[in-house]
């Protein structure tokens, strides 16, 4: 998470001015800060100052939230980020940690899916 937070300026630079073959910009944050946590991915709609307007990509488990719902997320709430560049996922630091803990066949499928 520290590595992801340190890279936020680079991420938002790409998200606000995408280069060729770049898209699918997303952030991961805790939908319900505190215990219990629910970390969820959200597609970036816009970013201004330290606030991202995003759309929830995953179906949330927490009541009161729905997949596709628009949310506001402050930069200090972001725990990971990612985007697609020419078929390869850039970023995804927390996913890399989780993949390393998966059974080999499952990990290989995820690595292939992300172009890693």
């Amino acid at each position: 998470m520290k590595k992801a937070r340190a890279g936020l300026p680079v991420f938002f630079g790409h998200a606000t001015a995408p280069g060729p073959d770049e898209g699918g910009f997303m952030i991961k944050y805790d939908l319900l800060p505190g215990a219990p946590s629910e970390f969820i991915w959200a597609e970036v709609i816009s970013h201004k100052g330290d606030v991202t307007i995003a759309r929830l990509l995953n179906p949330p488990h927490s009541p009161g939230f729905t997949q596709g719902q628009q949310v506001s997320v402050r930069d200090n709430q972001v725990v990971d980020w990612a985007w697609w560049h020419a078929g390869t996922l850039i970023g995804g630091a927390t996913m890399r940690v989780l993949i390393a803990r998966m059974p080999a066949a499952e990990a290989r499928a995820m690595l292939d899916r992300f172009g890693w």
Side-chain angles (χ1 to χ4, degrees), residues 19-76:
D21 297 324
E22 292 186 334
F25 294 91
M26 56 191 141
I27 56 172
K28 186 177 186 180
Y29 78 107
D30 189 352
L31 186 61
L32 296 172
S37 295
E38 181 177 356
F39 293 102
I40 192 163
W41 286 96
E43 176 185 20
V44 174
I45 298 170
S46 67
H47 182 263
K48 187 175 181 180
D50 73 336
V51 177
T52 299
I53 305 301
R55 185 174 297 111
L56 298 180
L57 289 170
N58 311 105
H61 297 290
S62 301
F65 296 95
T66 58
Q67 185 174 5
Q69 179 177 344
Q70 189 169 302
V71 294
S72 295
V73 182
R74 295 210 171 270
D75 288 357
N76 66 356

Side-chain angles (χ1 to χ4, degrees), residues 1 7 10 14 34 42 44 49 52 58 70 79 87 90 93 108 114:
M1 289 186 212
V10 171
H14 285 270
V44 174
T52 299
N58 311 105
Q70 189 169 302
V79 298
I90 307 299
R108 182 72 260 156
F114 297 139

